[in-house]
Amino acid sequence: MDNFAKMFQLQMMLFLLMAVGVLFRKRNIISESGRKTLSNLTVNLILPCNIIESFLGEWNVSENLLRHCLIALGISFGIQVAALYLSMLFFAPVSRDKKNIFKYGLIVSNSSFIGIPVVGELYGNLGVLYTSFFQIPIRIMMWTAGLSLFTNVDKKESFQKLIKHPCIIAIVIGVFLMIASVPLPSFLGNTIAGLSKCTTPLSMITVGAMFANSKWSDFLDPSILYYCLIRLIVFPAIVFGAVRLLGIDLVLGNVAVLLSAMPMAATTAILADKYNYNGETASRSIFVSTLLSIVTLPVICLML
């Protein structure tokens, strides 16, 4: 019950931060260009600092910790492959103009903007460390199979995007600092830690600003509600059963379940809009799944 209460309080805090984003966007305190700037700032600076900070500190780089990090990679790859094939099964009945939106939304969850803050609040730096390794297969799938749902993928371009992504670079830096036990100058470590603390408020305000133009009537689309059922309940239940059957370490398994229970990623709408593939449905799905996750995530936390 303690984790349930903690998750509920966290979700309420996230909701209020999102409400700030909605209000500021509606009042044009955050303009459309300002919203994009906040999004770029979060992805390119705040999240990477949060990842690097998770590798710092008094880590005992034991064989057990390294093994768990490698297991996190393996579990994440398994989840991504399962999501790829299950998306074909789950969304086969969905109309053609929405099918690829939902497929991408199952393959790529909002494990950065919402996942990192949630896991960090519940499991601290260890949870963020595991989440950082979970991000690697997600990024690979995002720029390969995920991108192919909206356009023809150039393999060379996808690889270049992957290795240049700030979060991937942050993971490489963080792993080096952790294994080599390289101490950072106090001013640099404090700067990274300070920026890392901005992750939750800035990312949630940015997400809220994205949803400012959504309407309550968006809830009425049955296909979007069906997607939310799969994304927020069915898929994490499958992952929960798998990690328990495999006897995965409790914290690592719980992180896997929580990350699989995150709402649709904001990149879904960005890619759909860029390649003219029903960006309106993507935006509505992000809004609805994020709002419903305020209820589903605390329940899943109680189940864990």
Side-chain angles (χ1 to χ4, degrees):
M1 287 298 292
D2 287 343
N3 273 351
F4 175 83
K6 185 185 293 186
M7 176 64 82
F8 181 77
Q9 293 295 329
L10 175 61
Q11 286 296 91
M12 289 299 97
M13 180 189 73
L14 296 180
F15 177 77
L16 288 177
L17 288 170
M18 286 174 56
V20 170
V22 172
L23 178 63
F24 276 39
R25 179 68 190 94
K26 283 186 174 296
R27 291 180 173 271
N28 211 35
I29 296 173
I30 299 176
S31 64
E32 181 61 23
S33 61
R35 181 192 63 75
K36 292 180 180 178
T37 299
L38 286 177
S39 182
N40 288 332
L41 180 65
T42 302
V43 171
N44 294 311
L45 178 63
I46 304 301
L47 286 177
C49 284
N50 183 251
I51 290 170
I52 292 174
E53 207 259 342
S54 71
F55 286 92
L56 303 177
E58 299 297 324
W59 284 111
N60 178 18
V61 187
S62 62
E63 181 181 340
N64 187 55
L65 178 61
L66 291 176
R67 184 173 71 251
H68 281 167
C69 289
L70 291 176
I71 292 174
L73 269 176
I75 293 173
S76 185
F77 270 115
I79 290 173
Q80 292 308 112
V81 172
L84 179 63
Y85 285 98
L86 287 175
S87 67
M88 300 177 189
L89 174 66
F90 287 138
F91 304 122
V94 177
S95 61
R96 188 174 181 180
D97 63 321
K98 299 177 181 178
K99 185 176 297 186
N100 284 0
I101 296 290
F102 297 153
K103 283 183 178 179
Y104 182 93
L106 188 64
I107 295 169
V108 183
S109 69
N110 201 337
S111 57
S112 293
F113 273 2
I114 299 179
I116 290 178
V118 167
V119 172
E121 289 289 337
L122 288 176
Y123 299 109
N125 277 352
L126 180 62
V128 177
L129 177 67
Y130 289 155
T131 303
S132 300
F133 280 91
F134 270 98
Q135 294 295 316
I136 297 174
I138 293 173
R139 296 297 175 189
I140 292 173
M141 194 67 76
M142 177 187 295
W143 296 118
T144 53
L147 188 59
S148 69
L149 294 171
F150 301 112
T151 183
N152 293 324
V153 179
D154 182 286
K155 293 182 179 179
K156 183 178 179 180
E157 182 182 356
S158 297
F159 180 74
Q160 289 175 345
K161 286 182 177 180
L162 178 66
I163 62 175
K164 291 179 181 179
H165 195 283
C167 290
I168 297 298
I169 295 173
I171 291 170
V172 174
I173 294 172
V175 169
F176 171 76
L177 292 174
M178 182 179 71
I179 294 177
S181 298
V182 178
L184 293 178
S186 295
F187 72 89
L188 181 56
N190 291 338
T191 300
I192 292 174
L195 289 170
S196 175
K197 291 177 182 178
C198 299
T199 301
T200 301
L202 189 59
S203 61
M204 290 301 100
I205 289 172
T206 303
V207 169
M210 291 180 182
F211 307 148
N213 295 324
S214 299
K215 300 177 182 178
W216 290 109
S217 59
D218 296 342
F219 281 101
L220 301 178
D221 188 332
S223 63
I224 292 179
L225 293 177
Y226 171 70
Y227 162 78
C228 292
L229 173 67
I230 301 298
R231 170 77 271 177
L232 302 177
I233 299 175
V234 176
F235 190 62
I238 293 172
V239 175
F240 174 80
V243 296
R244 289 295 185 267
L245 286 174
L246 293 172
I248 302 299
D249 171 77
L250 187 61
V251 173
L252 182 56
N254 287 355
V255 169
V257 175
L258 282 171
L259 292 180
S260 68
M262 293 297 150
M264 180 181 282
T267 53
T268 313
I270 295 171
L271 290 175
D273 183 60
K274 181 177 180 180
Y275 296 108
N276 300 314
Y277 194 98
N278 202 349
E280 184 177 339
T281 294
S283 299
R284 289 179 176 179
S285 301
I286 294 169
F287 174 74
V288 175
S289 63
T290 301
L291 198 58
L292 290 178
S293 72
I294 294 175
V295 177
T296 58
L297 281 175
V299 172
I300 288 173
C301 191
L302 178 62
M303 179 181 69
L304 295 177

